[in-house]
Amino acid sequence: MVDVILGLQWGDEGKGKIADYLTPKYDVVARFQGGPNAGHSLEMAGKKHVLNTIPSGIFHEQCINLIGNGVVIDPVRFMEEIKRTEAAGADVKARMLISRKANLILPTHKILDAASESAKGEEKIGSTLRGIGPTYRDKYGRSGLRIGEIFSSDFDKKYRSSIERHKALIDHYAYTDYDLEAMESEFFTALDTLRAYQFVDSEYFIHDQLISGRKILAEGAQGSMLDIDFGSYPFVTSSNTISGGVGVGLGVAPKHIGTVRGIFKAYCTRVGSGPFPSELLDARGEELRNMGREFGATTGRPRRCGWLDIVALRYAVMLSGVDELIMMKADVLSGFPEVDALVAYEQNGAVTDQVPFDQCDKSIKPVFQSHPGWSEDLTAIREESKLPDTFRNYIRWIEEKAGVPISILSVGPDRDQTILRARS
Ligand code: GDP
Ligand code: IMO
Ligand code: MG
């Protein structure tokens, strides 16, 4: 079976921490979409590691880490990440497999991302500028380059033809703030090193693993509300982040999908532009950002903060068929006299508990429900029975609203700061 772990909000829910925590139960951890726009933090033995393209099982010896066909790869950033991860003690060459069908992020894709964002001005998506949108555009426009082609004798010719096409587009934007020569030099140097790693036809690899009864964990990137189809379009990423993305991003049939675990923070964050109905623009938002250290793992940008959005959470649970919830960062809420949660949207005088077609409609207002807070520090607690009653009531309320049980509670960034809840 392929179990899934994915984010239910706008990304940065803590997928990296939980994927690493769950890895001992799995033989393979596989990424199925996204690319270096992701920043997944893992903390163990007092050390923090940030992964962008490498799956979060890499620090476990027994685990194969697969980068699926649905992922997009920037060789320059990827090689930096590999070196960093190897220096931290992981044998990446032995433990990581790369799908030959993963698409390549070319230097000009990154320039195009920057050119497009700067042309949009105030309307910009707030992209991570990693070239994600332009690379997926080429993939679906049937003009992309797949990483397996770096072994082909006509790679240079195909590369040149893409670059020429992109240059015309960059000129169209009248964008000049780049040094393509320097970027190309880095790109080809990175490719030279990358060729020594393991490339596979990952759909066959996964299939063989399934036949042999091995257990696979598909690790999502971004979050459900950034999904290209169901997120707050156009303020989204360019891939399907929901469980439906697993089949196409790895080449596994839907019947092989097992347990789907959805991760959410006890509050919400969003980085980049776009609607955020429960956003707190006051001192409480600032406090959440400081207490939760809400600064991007990839770009360092401050994350926008707000209360938990139950309407969005229920939507994400529905879209991915989530079986179990994992609640992160409840420790950050300690000390708030009241903890609010958004329970409905008000749009043009009508109240709804559904995510509207136009999520960007500026008239959408939040309807909040307040809960008593808790002052106890949760970070050292490892048993559910020791958690404050007000917090346990809050968890029960969320489970009722979402219609799905919470199976894991995270009370700090470290691997060990995790409470596995007893199944009833
Ligand atoms: P991801 O992209 O979903 O993997 O999440 P990120 O790594 O971008 O952001 C999550 C941040 O919260 C990281 O800095 C983690 O180290 C941290 N973190 C994860 N779980 C917890 C938790 O339960 N409590 C606290 N305080 N921090 C956490
Ligand atoms: P992880 O996996 C949070 C956001 C960007 C921007 C929008 C589009 O760490 O949760 P893109 O670069 O994909 O074209 O940007 O999506 N975004 C993320 N926000 N976490 C992420 O990944 C994100 N990946 C992209 O900020 O608003
Ligand atoms: Mg992140």
Side-chain angles (χ1 to χ4, degrees):
M1 277 297 181
V2 180
D3 292 344
V4 183
I5 179 161
L6 50 80
L8 300 176
Q9 296 164 326
W10 288 271
D12 301 328
E13 296 89 350
K15 299 174 290 294
K17 166 178 167 166
I18 296 298
D20 166 70
Y21 172 79
L22 293 174
T23 296
K25 289 187 182 175
Y26 292 91
D27 303 294
V28 180
V29 176
R31 280 277 304 272
F32 58 94
Q33 45 72 234
N37 47 351
H40 294 183
S41 319
L42 283 58
E43 271 192 49
M44 57 200 89
K47 274 208 180 128
K48 179 166 176 161
H49 308 276
V50 177
L51 298 170
N52 306 110
T53 305
I54 300 176
S56 298
I58 199 72
F59 290 102
H60 297 261
E61 220 171 291
Q62 95 297 346
C63 177
I64 296 289
N65 289 263
L66 177 71
I67 298 173
N69 55 280
V71 175
V72 291
I73 299 178
D74 172 359
V76 179
R77 289 200 169 267
F78 191 35
M79 271 321 305
E80 286 168 6
E81 181 186 352
I82 290 173
K83 284 188 191 141
R84 206 169 65 223
T85 310
E86 285 174 343
D91 188 350
V92 179
K93 223 169 235 172
R95 290 181 211 158
M96 184 180 72
L97 305 178
I98 307 161
S99 168
R100 293 193 175 94
K101 292 191 176 70
N103 270 59
L104 266 179
I105 301 175
L106 305 181
T108 39
H109 284 133
K110 292 189 268 188
I111 300 169
L112 278 168
D113 206 357
S116 156
E117 284 285 79
S118 96
K120 283 189 171 139
E122 292 281 287
E123 301 295 303
K124 72 176 180 182
I125 308 290
S127 133
T128 57
L129 301 179
R130 300 295 190 253
I132 304 296
T135 305
Y136 278 113
R137 189 161 61 213
D138 270 355
K139 170 177 173 175
Y140 290 105
R142 295 163 292 179
S143 310
L145 274 180
R146 297 179 300 171
I147 203 160
E149 295 182 86
I150 64 173
F151 295 98
S152 127
S153 57
D154 59 359
F155 176 73
D156 278 10
K157 198 171 129 219
K158 286 185 179 166
Y159 172 83
R160 279 289 139 223
S161 138
S162 296
I163 297 296
E164 290 313 314
R165 190 166 43 81
H166 291 161
K167 273 193 193 154
L169 283 170
I170 296 165
D171 288 349
H172 167 78
Y173 282 114
Y175 188 78
T176 52
D177 189 13
Y178 63 90
D179 179 352
L180 182 56
E181 220 172 284
M183 290 171 88
E184 289 194 312
S185 154
E186 280 184 324
F187 178 80
F188 283 102
T189 307
L191 282 189
D192 284 342
T193 326
L194 197 55
R195 284 194 186 87
Y197 285 77
Q198 299 191 63
F199 292 81
V200 291
D201 292 321
S202 55
E203 62 280 27
Y204 280 112
F205 170 79
I206 290 261
H207 188 69
D208 289 345
Q209 296 290 308
L210 284 171
I211 285 178
S212 317
R214 302 240 163 74
K215 295 195 77 187
I216 298 158
L217 178 66
E219 174 188 2
Q222 290 78 57
S224 306
M225 301 310 285
L226 290 171
D227 181 272
I228 182 77
D229 283 278
F230 300 102
S232 46
Y233 196 86
F235 300 99
V236 292
T237 191
S238 295
S239 62
N240 283 114
T241 58
I242 59 172
S243 63
V246 175
V248 286
L250 290 176
V252 293
K255 67 179 176 187
H256 294 304
I257 304 294
T259 304
V260 178
R261 296 187 183 93
I263 305 204
F264 71 103
K265 277 185 210 182
Y267 50 97
C268 280
T269 64
R270 173 163 202 163
V271 62
S273 331
F276 185 179
S278 63
E279 183 167 15
L280 288 169
L281 296 165
D282 57 12
R284 293 171 302 174
E286 196 62 41
E287 198 176 339
L288 280 176
R289 183 157 39 252
N290 291 332
M291 300 305 289
R293 297 207 195 104
E294 295 295 354
F295 298 89
T298 304
T299 57
R301 291 181 290 178
R303 296 173 181 151
R304 299 156 64 193
C305 297
W307 293 124
L308 180 63
D309 182 334
I310 294 284
V311 174
L313 188 75
R314 280 159 50 107
Y315 187 56
V317 164
M318 174 186 85
L319 291 169
S320 283
V322 168
D323 297 299
E324 293 176 10
L325 291 170
I326 299 176
M327 183 176 179
M328 312 298 289
K329 298 190 108 164
D331 54 295
V332 173
L333 294 182
S334 293
F336 277 86
E338 291 205 322
V339 171
D340 289 2
L342 181 155
V343 287
Y345 297 155
E346 196 188 306
Q347 193 178 24
N348 302 319
V351 174
T352 175
D353 63 358
Q354 296 199 347
V355 172
F357 163 68
D358 183 6
Q359 295 179 41
C360 301
D361 178 353
K362 295 222 163 41
S363 76
I364 294 173
K365 299 272 176 303
V367 179
F368 287 117
Q369 186 171 327
S370 256
H371 299 262
W374 55 92
S375 54
E376 295 86 342
D377 176 9
L378 308 184
T379 55
I381 298 179
R382 299 289 176 271
E383 280 165 55
E384 194 185 342
S385 58
K386 305 238 162 84
L387 291 166
D389 283 343
T390 39
F391 175 55
R392 295 174 72 185
N393 290 340
Y394 187 50
I395 300 173
R396 270 196 288 273
W397 179 81
I398 294 170
E399 287 180 315
E400 222 166 84
K401 286 278 171 195
V404 189
I406 297 175
S407 61
I408 296 176
L409 295 165
S410 171
V411 290
D414 197 89
R415 216 185 235 177
D416 294 337
Q417 291 174 302
T418 312
I419 303 171
L420 192 60
R421 293 184 78 202
R423 294 286 185 115
S424 49

